[in-house]
Amino acid sequence: MANSANVTAVMPRATGAIRNAPLGTAGPDDADTDLDAAFVDQGYVGEDGITEANSRDTDAKKALGGDTVRVLQTGYDNTFTIPLIEDKNVEVLRRVFGADNVIVSGDNVTVRKNKKILPREAWVIDLEDGEDLIRTYIPEGQVTEVSDVTLSHGDIVTYELTVTAYASDVIDGDTSRQYRYRGVLPAPEIVKVFTLDGGVTAYTVTVDGQTTASIGTKTAAALRSALEALPNVGAGNVTVTGSSGGPLTATFTVAVTAVSASGTGGTVTVA
C-alpha cells in the first residue's frame, strides 16, 4: 500500500551538511553517531542541493542476426556534485584549490592556482527529514572537477565540485555507503465508538477486510481481545473503554481505515 510517510524531502543537518577530513580519518558506521573531530564543516550548500550519480559503462554483445544476448558491465563510477557557496570560508577554498595553495597570514589570504592534483580525502554528507537522518560516507573522495566560477553582482559565488568516490577497503570495497536512521513517528490514534442494541447476543467486527471471531459478551475486555487477535491489529495496538453493554470506545494505534460490525439479535453501529 502506498504510504506518503515514505517520501523523502531533505534538509541539511544542523551540525553541518558537508564535512571533510584527511584521508584515513576514522569514519562513521551509522547515521547518528558523532563524527571524529577531524571532520570539518564546509558550510552552506547551494539551494540546488547535492547530486549523486551511479553510472555503469556497458557493452552489449549481439548474436548473428543482431539480437542482444548479453550486456557486460565494463566500468562503474560513483560521483557527487556538491555546490559550496561560502566563498570566504578558508576550508572551502582548500577543497577547491588544495590546502597547500591557500596561504593564510593574519587577515590576508592568498590563493594559488596551478595544476597540482587535489588529494583524496574523507567526506561525509549529513541530511535530515524531520526526525529521520540520512548520512553518506565516502572514505576516499577526490575533487576531480570544479565548474566555472562566475563573479557577478547579481548572484553569489558558487564552487560546484565533482567528488569522485573510489572503492575503499575501509568499507569492504564499496565506493560510498549510506546510513539511515528512522526517527520514531507518533503512533496514529484512530477512535471508533461501538453502540450495541439491547437485543444483541453476539457480534463480529471487520477491520480492513479482517473479521474477528464471534464476540459473545458486551464488555470492553472482550472487544479488545477479539481485535488484538486480528493480524492487521495485533496485541497492544488497541485499547477499549466503556461499561458493559456499551457504548464501547476502541482507540487504535495502528493505521486502520474501514471498521464495521455485524450483530446477532440486534444492530451494532460503528462511528
Side-chain angles (χ1 to χ4, degrees):
M1 179 182 293
N3 185 349
S4 62
N6 290 328
V7 177
T8 299
V10 299
M11 297 286 288
R13 207 176 301 186
T15 52
I18 305 292
R19 282 179 279 184
N20 177 279
L23 188 68
T25 301
D29 56 10
D30 58 32
D32 59 339
T33 300
D34 291 340
L35 294 175
D36 188 290
F39 280 92
V40 177
D41 186 9
Q42 302 300 309
Y44 277 115
V45 173
E47 64 180 343
D48 290 337
I50 300 155
T51 302
E52 179 182 358
N54 293 274
S55 59
R56 301 175 189 271
D57 300 326
T58 59
D59 182 12
K61 298 298 183 181
K62 298 181 181 295
L64 182 65
D67 292 338
T68 298
V69 294
R70 182 73 181 268
V71 176
L72 303 179
Q73 181 171 308
T74 58
Y76 171 77
D77 291 302
N78 184 199
T79 60
F80 297 81
T81 303
I82 305 171
L84 299 179
I85 62 175
E86 290 195 13
D87 173 59
K88 300 176 184 179
N89 185 333
V90 171
E91 290 299 329
V92 171
L93 296 176
R94 287 171 174 158
R95 301 290 77 73
V96 176
F97 302 104
D100 293 340
N101 286 330
V102 180
I103 303 161
V104 180
S105 178
D107 293 333
N108 297 303
V109 179
T110 300
V111 179
R112 302 177 59 192
K113 301 179 182 181
N114 48 50
K115 64 181 181 181
K116 288 184 178 179
I117 297 174
L118 297 175
R120 298 190 186 195
E121 300 174 295
W123 297 76
V124 169
I125 303 170
D126 270 342
L127 304 171
E128 63 182 32
D129 180 11
E131 293 185 356
D132 294 349
L133 306 178
I134 301 173
R135 168 175 283 170
T136 300
Y137 174 41
I138 309 165
E140 297 185 40
Q142 181 183 32
V143 176
T144 52
E145 185 177 347
V146 181
S147 66
D148 292 343
V149 178
T150 301
L151 304 177
S152 166
H153 74 279
D155 204 350
I156 60 175
V157 176
T158 300
Y159 297 105
E160 187 174 270
L161 311 181
T162 297
V163 176
T164 298
Y166 296 99
S168 173
D169 290 340
V170 174
I171 50 175
D172 300 325
D174 296 340
T175 53
S176 65
R177 280 193 182 175
Q178 186 180 88
Y179 303 111
R180 292 179 175 235
Y181 169 80
R182 299 186 66 178
V184 178
L185 300 176
E189 286 197 355
I190 299 168
V191 178
K192 298 293 182 181
V193 178
F194 295 77
T195 302
L196 298 86
D197 285 350
V200 170
T201 56
Y203 67 102
T204 59
V205 178
T206 301
V207 179
D208 293 336
Q210 299 287 331
T211 301
T212 65
S214 179
I215 306 168
T217 56
K218 304 177 186 179
T219 63
L223 176 56
R224 185 186 68 185
S225 177
L227 291 172
E228 286 185 329
L230 294 177
N232 56 344
V233 178
N237 293 320
V238 63
T239 59
V240 182
T241 59
S243 302
S244 179
L248 303 175
T249 299
T251 301
F252 297 86
T253 55
V254 290
V256 300
T257 52
V259 180
S260 60
S262 177
T264 299
T267 302
V268 180
T269 58
V270 183

